[in-house]
Amino acid sequence: MKPETTFRPASEPAADAPEAAAEHAHAHVRRGPSARLPTEHGDFTISSYFDRSTGIEHMAIHCGELAGAREVLVRVHSECLTGDIFGSLRCDCGPQLRLALQRISQAGRGVVIYMRGHEGRGIGIDEKLRAYTLQDQGLDTVEANLALGHAPDSRRFEAAAEILQDLGVASVSLMSNNPIKLLALQQQGLEVVQREPHEIDANPENAAYLATKREKMGHLLALSSSLGSSPASRSRR
């Protein structure tokens, strides 16, 4: 089944803030401060970006020379409080984030765009927890979002493309299993040279969730069908 997400032009900067639009060429993002970020994976720089269209601050965690660089390793990572912070086994988000930082550190150059406001594929933490309850009752992740009146995926990625452009990235090697992310960057004029598979081994808690992403949302995953169809691992994110 093809992903149901569609992309539309986001709203323009507010008309009552011409000075903000003038100070930055990008329609959606304004760069904020940067700081050194030493991590267990290596030393990075972290930069904040204010998204004018949503009022949300996103983060870029990056290292190496990016201005004019081609085939830069990039991960566009959606915020996931439960997975990234608390280590939830219901999804693959936390391990994917850590793997991206490891790969970039080893390469010596790259960017993780941390997209805040993407919790639960854009529905927020409260609705995500309601979706969890429905999933524990037998719905998969897509069915749960629909039952709550949401689209299967309401995330937007225009800001991610503009952050990469602001950093001077000329072209991207995108670490993602989601072709929608690749398409979204291309639609914003960013050259994506290749997609780098970024798959995490399934566990009994997230195997059916990952299978649902593959079967209903078009994610490019090579999963074990026996694990993915286990009744004990009904889709849970």
Side-chain angles (χ1 to χ4, degrees), residues 114-126:
Y114 195 82
M115 300 294 293
R116 298 182 62 239
H118 278 198
E119 191 77 52
R121 295 193 301 279
I123 66 176
I125 189 64
D126 283 2

Side-chain angles (χ1 to χ4, degrees), residues 34-80:
S34 299
R36 187 174 67 91
L37 183 70
T39 77
E40 61 181 327
H41 309 296
D43 288 342
F44 296 86
T45 297
I46 185 167
S47 304
S48 67
Y49 282 86
F50 179 74
D51 188 338
R52 295 187 181 97
S53 63
T54 62
I56 292 172
E57 292 169 314
H58 306 299
M59 311 304 295
I61 302 96
H62 51 99
C63 70
E65 180 58 48
L66 299 176
R70 297 189 59 80
E71 299 185 32
V72 175
L73 270 180
V74 170
R75 168 76 183 164
V76 178
H77 189 87
S78 293
E79 177 182 33
C80 177

Side-chain angles (χ1 to χ4, degrees), residues 32 42 70 95 110 122-123 138 147 149 154 180 182 208 216 225:
R70 297 189 59 80
I123 66 176
S154 57
I180 287 294
L182 186 151
K216 290 192 173 183
S225 59

Side-chain angles (χ1 to χ4, degrees), residues 203 205-213 227-228 230 233-236:
N203 67 63
E205 288 287 342
N206 70 16
Y209 160 68
L210 296 176
T212 298
K213 288 210 296 187
L227 181 57
S230 169
S233 61
R234 191 63 175 157
S235 181
R236 296 179 178 179

Side-chain angles (χ1 to χ4, degrees), residues 23-219:
E23 75 178 15
H24 204 295
H26 299 304
H28 300 97
V29 301
R30 182 178 71 246
R31 188 169 186 169
S34 299
R36 187 174 67 91
L37 183 70
T39 77
E40 61 181 327
H41 309 296
D43 288 342
F44 296 86
T45 297
I46 185 167
S47 304
S48 67
Y49 282 86
F50 179 74
D51 188 338
R52 295 187 181 97
S53 63
T54 62
I56 292 172
E57 292 169 314
H58 306 299
M59 311 304 295
I61 302 96
H62 51 99
C63 70
E65 180 58 48
L66 299 176
R70 297 189 59 80
E71 299 185 32
V72 175
L73 270 180
V74 170
R75 168 76 183 164
V76 178
H77 189 87
S78 293
E79 177 182 33
C80 177
L81 176 71
T82 51
D84 297 341
I85 305 300
F86 300 123
S88 171
L89 298 176
R90 300 178 74 132
C91 63
D92 55 344
C93 302
Q96 282 190 316
L97 176 59
R98 292 188 291 274
L99 178 60
L101 292 171
Q102 291 169 6
R103 294 179 65 179
I104 288 170
S105 181
Q106 290 168 2
R109 185 179 66 191
V111 188
V112 170
I113 306 296
Y114 195 82
M115 300 294 293
R116 298 182 62 239
H118 278 198
E119 191 77 52
R121 295 193 301 279
I123 66 176
I125 189 64
D126 283 2
E127 290 294 270
K128 177 179 173 178
L129 298 184
R130 292 186 177 95
Y132 275 173
T133 300
L134 293 177
Q135 291 161 32
D136 286 340
Q137 295 169 0
L139 299 186
D140 67 32
T141 182
V142 170
E143 293 165 346
N145 272 29
L146 292 173
L148 291 170
H150 303 294
D153 192 339
S154 57
R155 293 173 296 176
R156 303 283 293 277
F157 298 100
E158 293 94 338
E162 290 193 2
I163 290 170
L164 291 168
Q165 291 163 346
D166 181 77
L167 290 169
V169 171
S171 68
V172 165
S173 291
L174 185 66
M175 294 182 286
S176 180
N177 307 313
N178 184 357
I180 287 294
K181 289 184 181 179
L182 186 151
L183 176 63
L185 296 183
Q186 290 176 329
Q187 288 180 338
Q188 295 302 307
L190 195 66
E191 181 184 358
V192 182
V193 176
Q194 61 187 355
R195 183 190 69 85
E196 295 271 352
H198 199 66
E199 187 167 354
I200 303 299
D201 289 340
N203 67 63
E205 288 287 342
N206 70 16
Y209 160 68
L210 296 176
T212 298
K213 288 210 296 187
R214 180 183 63 184
E215 295 160 11
K216 290 192 173 183
M217 306 190 75
H219 288 221

